[in-house]
Amino acid sequence: MYDNFGDYGRNDACWCGSGKKYKKCHADFDEKLEELWLDGECVPPRSLIKTAADIEGIKESAKVNIGALDLVAANIKPGCTTEDIDNWVHDYTFDNGAIPAPLNYEGFPKSCCTSVNDVVCHGIPSKDEVLKEGDIVNVDCSTIKDGYFSDSSRMFIIGEGTKEVQKFVETVRKSINVGLTQVKPWFRLHDMARELQRYVEDQGYSVVREYGGHGIGLEFHEDPWVSHTVFAGEDMIMPPGMCFTIEPMVNMGKHKITDNAADGWTVRTKDHSLSAQWEIQLVVTETGYEILTW
């Protein structure tokens, strides 16, 4: 096979752990992947395909991830700090038998990312950052439970926010639903990116090129890298069992960004325009997709 994951006889137990014979389980699936690869298509190795047991494990992790963001939603308000948010996520995650995936990941010092106003991603929670009326903040929460990873983020408008800001944040949320119309078994990631980008730009906003979604489940960041633009998109086929995030980072102004050299993490819009992001995690199914986190 193309991926050196192993060759199986038709009467062998299937590699997915179903207990079924290979010929009754993934033989046809593997043959299709091999044929696509021989035709020059970009297909994922079978090591990235999640089994039924993997998906159940990810769902248990996702329950904690979703619960942490629900807790943030119930408590966030003007006057709280981004460190307050981090403390809520940190305590909730550990109290539910899980670990915050960002904590100490490549040196990141906190349990979640809080990206306020012109911060595109990777904002570091701080006791000195006090949220005020009209701010927007993305809270990105990632969880490890029993070795399985889940990941999602939500946008919060502090107070009412202007109609312009409300439209912007809602547009970014809707862009995921637009992209999901193209998440179908054996479609390409490029199809999702094309529709998402077109929708965002039709509304007058821009999609960040340098950051995107990713495979996830058994590790925090797996292949493939998931672009939300067609300019740098991974044209990988999406077979059933492929698990990844869709998390467009959208700027109200231009798409260009700048990194913070001082802390090594914070990414901002170059023109200081607002930036917003929503993130979901999904698995491709035989008939479409199943959303695991939101």
Side-chain angles (χ1 to χ4, degrees), residues 26-133:
H26 273 86
D28 291 344
F29 175 89
D30 288 357
E31 183 178 350
K32 185 166 187 175
L33 285 174
E34 179 82 357
E35 289 175 353
L36 288 167
W37 179 75
L38 290 171
D39 287 341
E41 299 285 358
C42 180
V43 296
R46 286 173 292 171
S47 60
L48 291 182
I49 302 302
K50 303 301 181 283
T51 67
D54 292 334
I55 294 168
E56 289 308 307
I58 294 168
K59 286 181 177 179
E60 290 302 307
S61 177
K63 289 178 183 177
V64 181
N65 196 84
I66 294 165
L69 284 171
D70 286 345
L71 180 65
V72 173
N75 289 278
I76 195 168
K77 61 184 179 181
C80 73
T81 68
T82 52
E83 186 164 277
D84 290 333
I85 296 171
D86 187 71
N87 289 336
W88 300 333
V89 171
H90 180 279
D91 292 347
Y92 182 92
T93 303
F94 278 106
D95 287 347
N96 284 274
I99 301 168
L103 186 59
N104 300 318
Y105 176 76
E106 296 186 354
F108 191 80
K110 297 292 185 176
S111 294
C112 67
C113 297
T114 52
S115 302
V116 181
N117 293 334
D118 68 338
V119 177
V120 176
C121 61
H122 303 159
I124 302 174
S126 169
K127 62 182 176 59
D128 298 321
E129 189 170 40
V130 181
L131 297 176
K132 62 184 184 300
E133 187 87 19

Side-chain angles (χ1 to χ4, degrees), residues 230-275:
V230 296
F231 299 110
E234 175 71 75
D235 206 18
M236 184 177 280
I237 299 289
M238 297 181 285
M242 186 171 165
C243 185
F244 60 95
T245 67
I246 299 178
E247 47 180 306
M249 300 169 202
V250 177
N251 298 342
M252 189 176 276
K254 303 297 185 182
H255 68 81
K256 292 187 177 180
I257 60 175
T258 180
D259 294 334
N260 185 325
D263 67 28
W265 286 100
T266 306
V267 179
R268 296 181 183 272
T269 57
K270 190 170 184 179
D271 59 9
H272 302 294
S273 62
L274 294 179
S275 187

Side-chain angles (χ1 to χ4, degrees), residues 122-267:
H122 303 159
I124 302 174
S126 169
K127 62 182 176 59
D128 298 321
E129 189 170 40
V130 181
L131 297 176
K132 62 184 184 300
E133 187 87 19
D135 284 341
I136 63 171
V137 56
N138 175 265
V139 180
D140 193 343
C141 182
S142 309
T143 305
I144 313 168
K145 185 172 174 61
D146 299 327
Y148 291 100
F149 290 76
S150 55
D151 192 5
S152 60
S153 78
R154 300 181 197 172
M155 287 300 301
F156 299 97
I157 301 173
I158 308 304
E160 287 296 319
T162 65
K163 289 184 178 180
E164 181 185 29
V165 167
Q166 291 175 11
K167 175 180 180 291
F168 174 55
V169 170
E170 181 63 10
T171 294
V172 182
R173 188 189 67 81
K174 287 181 177 178
S175 74
I176 291 181
N177 292 329
V178 172
L180 283 171
T181 64
Q182 301 303 308
V183 178
K184 301 176 183 180
W186 310 108
F187 276 45
R188 294 173 173 81
L189 284 172
H190 208 66
D191 300 322
M192 179 277 294
R194 181 190 64 249
E195 295 305 307
L196 189 155
Q197 182 183 10
R198 179 183 297 162
Y199 174 76
V200 167
E201 293 182 348
D202 282 349
Q203 306 305 309
Y205 309 126
S206 60
V207 184
V208 170
R209 271 65 166 161
E210 292 87 346
Y211 291 89
H214 52 90
I216 184 172
L218 304 184
E219 297 180 15
F220 194 176
H221 296 100
E222 302 173 352
D223 287 334
W225 183 69
V226 180
S227 177
H228 301 105
T229 74
V230 296
F231 299 110
E234 175 71 75
D235 206 18
M236 184 177 280
I237 299 289
M238 297 181 285
M242 186 171 165
C243 185
F244 60 95
T245 67
I246 299 178
E247 47 180 306
M249 300 169 202
V250 177
N251 298 342
M252 189 176 276
K254 303 297 185 182
H255 68 81
K256 292 187 177 180
I257 60 175
T258 180
D259 294 334
N260 185 325
D263 67 28
W265 286 100
T266 306
V267 179

